[in-house]
Amino acid sequence: MKEYRKEKFSFLLILIFFINFFIVNTVFSAEIPAIKVGYYIKSIEINNKEESAEIDFYYWYRFPNIADSTERADFSTLEFVNGDISMNEIQEEKVIGNEYYITGRIKGKFHFKSDFVSYPFDKQKILIQLEHAVLTDDQVMICPDTISYLRTGKNRELWGISNDLESKDVFFRKTEFLADKRIYETDFGDVSLEEKESSYSRLSYYVYVERNALPYTLKFLLPLLIILGLAYLVFYIPAEDMELACGLTVTSLLAAIAFQWTLSDDLPSVGYLTCVDKIFYLGYVLIMLAMVQTVWTYHLEKDGKIKLSNAMEIGGRWVFPLVFFTGVIFFIANT
């Protein structure tokens, strides 16, 4: 009986061994070869109006060594799908162990989707997006070269960013790699394919930037305060001088509109209100109310209601700046 149990136990051990062997070999045989990619950003210049960034950076690829040069060239054929490349110089190619290594330098204009709701306190995500141009995602995958970045000991959130990288307009906050795939709902005219759509490995590299808001705030807020200050003077003009007061408010309104148009030249056409737009519209409303108050107090004095007219003048002197600065703080706090 004991010998039977031993034989049964031995048989189970052998069975488990073969099952594990089969699973391991299946996994490794099905493993998709990878192209490890890395970047080192030298400079970034952002163009808000065109929603693009001029980027100058070094790059490198590492992938399994392929002896045949033609197959190796096809395997390493990658394309930057969101960039207009003006320069691509391969600086070195060599074999390192069982891997092939390529490094070079690229300059180009890279397009990204901007969000100016909080402008000029906005934060943007600059994008470098890479896809394989030939092989589908079941033949090769693209991933970040984490081993190379980990060797530097640099903070993971700053991978690929030079320590001396600066820009006059923005602060660089962090970077992020995202590996996924892109599905194209087409066979690209190759009717010999069984699949009606194609899927390619994609690597997205994001650089998170935050605008240096102080110079932009001074650029629009100080002139706007001067314009609103002119409109504010109507609360100190006697009610009988309605022509002077109306001329002052109308001039202030036109100046504010012209100034907003000038500032909007820095941004693309968007279908939503930015923080700056809200502040300007608040100013328009206050200028309009100042004009209404001027006409009202004029008619009150004509009707002999001088005390009520004076009370409205004094109230406007306090309400006008209080509403404006409260509104500005509210808009900025909720960006």
Side-chain angles (χ1 to χ4, degrees):
M1 189 69 177
K2 291 182 178 179
E3 292 180 357
Y4 172 75
R5 290 179 177 176
K6 288 181 179 179
E7 290 178 359
K8 186 177 180 180
F9 181 72
S10 300
F11 174 77
L12 288 174
L13 288 178
I14 294 172
L15 181 63
I16 291 172
F17 171 79
F18 277 107
I19 291 174
N20 287 335
F21 179 80
F22 174 77
I23 293 174
V24 169
N25 277 273
T26 300
V27 171
F28 279 97
S29 63
E31 183 179 355
I32 301 174
I35 300 178
K36 305 178 185 70
V37 177
Y39 305 123
Y40 187 80
I41 308 296
K42 289 189 62 182
S43 66
I44 297 179
E45 292 297 331
I46 301 173
N47 187 320
N48 292 321
K49 195 170 185 64
E50 296 183 3
E51 296 183 276
S52 65
E54 292 283 349
I55 309 179
D56 182 359
F57 63 97
Y58 295 107
Y59 68 91
W60 66 88
Y61 308 148
R62 292 195 298 116
F63 52 87
N65 186 25
I66 301 173
D68 186 88
S69 59
T70 302
E71 292 183 9
R72 183 171 64 239
D74 289 341
F75 190 85
S76 60
T77 303
L78 305 174
E79 61 178 344
F80 293 92
V81 293
N82 73 315
D84 302 323
I85 308 303
S86 58
M87 184 196 79
N88 186 357
E89 295 180 351
I90 295 178
Q91 297 180 332
E92 186 177 14
E93 295 186 53
K94 63 182 178 181
V95 177
I96 303 177
N98 60 348
E99 291 185 315
Y100 199 83
Y101 170 81
I102 301 176
T103 183
R105 181 181 175 184
I106 279 181
K107 289 182 180 180
K109 179 188 292 184
F110 291 83
H111 305 276
F112 62 95
K113 186 62 178 176
S114 59
D115 182 3
F116 293 111
V117 170
S118 303
Y119 179 84
F121 309 97
D122 54 306
K123 301 176 183 179
Q124 306 295 343
K125 292 193 299 183
I126 311 303
L127 174 63
I128 299 176
Q129 201 163 64
L130 189 68
E131 285 183 15
H132 205 284
V134 180
L135 304 178
T136 56
D137 63 344
D138 58 348
Q139 297 173 303
V140 65
M141 66 176 181
I142 309 173
C143 59
D145 189 4
T146 55
I147 295 176
S148 176
Y149 284 120
L150 289 172
R151 288 182 63 190
T152 66
K154 196 168 186 177
N155 187 337
R156 187 185 187 93
E157 293 188 346
L158 295 176
W159 281 359
I161 291 290
S162 170
N163 290 332
D164 57 355
L165 181 63
E166 295 181 354
S167 177
K168 60 183 179 181
D169 297 325
V170 298
F171 301 111
F172 298 96
R173 292 306 184 192
K174 70 172 186 176
T175 62
E176 179 185 26
F177 280 101
L178 177 62
D180 58 359
K181 63 181 180 180
R182 169 67 187 274
I183 298 176
Y184 293 91
E185 297 81 10
T186 177
D187 58 9
F188 294 103
D190 190 350
V191 295
S192 64
L193 298 175
E194 294 182 4
E195 300 293 334
K196 296 180 180 179
E197 59 183 24
S198 306
S199 179
Y200 294 86
S201 180
R202 177 175 61 181
L203 182 65
S204 300
Y205 176 71
Y206 294 98
V207 180
Y208 293 80
V209 299
E210 181 178 343
R211 190 179 307 280
N212 183 5
L214 181 59
Y216 284 89
T217 304
L218 296 176
K219 179 181 177 181
F220 86 87
L221 195 55
L222 287 180
L224 181 59
L225 286 174
I226 294 174
I227 293 172
L228 292 177
L230 294 176
Y232 178 71
L233 292 178
V234 300
F235 298 111
Y236 294 91
I237 296 176
E240 61 269 17
D241 293 332
M242 188 181 70
E243 185 176 345
L244 175 61
C246 288
L248 198 57
T249 52
V250 170
T251 302
S252 299
L253 183 61
L254 293 177
I257 293 173
F259 182 48
Q260 185 184 14
W261 283 352
T262 302
L263 289 179
S264 64
D265 288 340
D266 294 334
L267 300 179
S269 298
V270 294
Y272 51 81
L273 295 180
T274 66
C275 180
V276 170
D277 291 332
K278 295 174 183 177
I279 293 174
F280 268 100
Y281 291 151
L282 175 60
Y284 297 158
V285 171
L286 290 175
I287 294 173
M288 183 194 69
L289 292 177
M291 185 182 297
V292 170
Q293 187 266 354
T294 297
V295 176
W296 197 350
T297 54
Y298 171 78
H299 286 286
L300 286 175
E301 288 205 2
K302 283 187 65 176
D303 295 338
K305 300 177 181 179
I306 299 177
K307 288 186 177 180
L308 180 57
S309 175
N310 291 337
M312 290 186 65
E313 291 279 3
I314 295 172
R317 296 172 188 175
W318 289 95
V319 172
F320 189 97
L322 180 63
V323 171
F324 177 74
F325 287 109
T326 302
V328 170
I329 294 172
F330 176 79
F331 292 143
I332 294 176
N334 288 275
T335 55

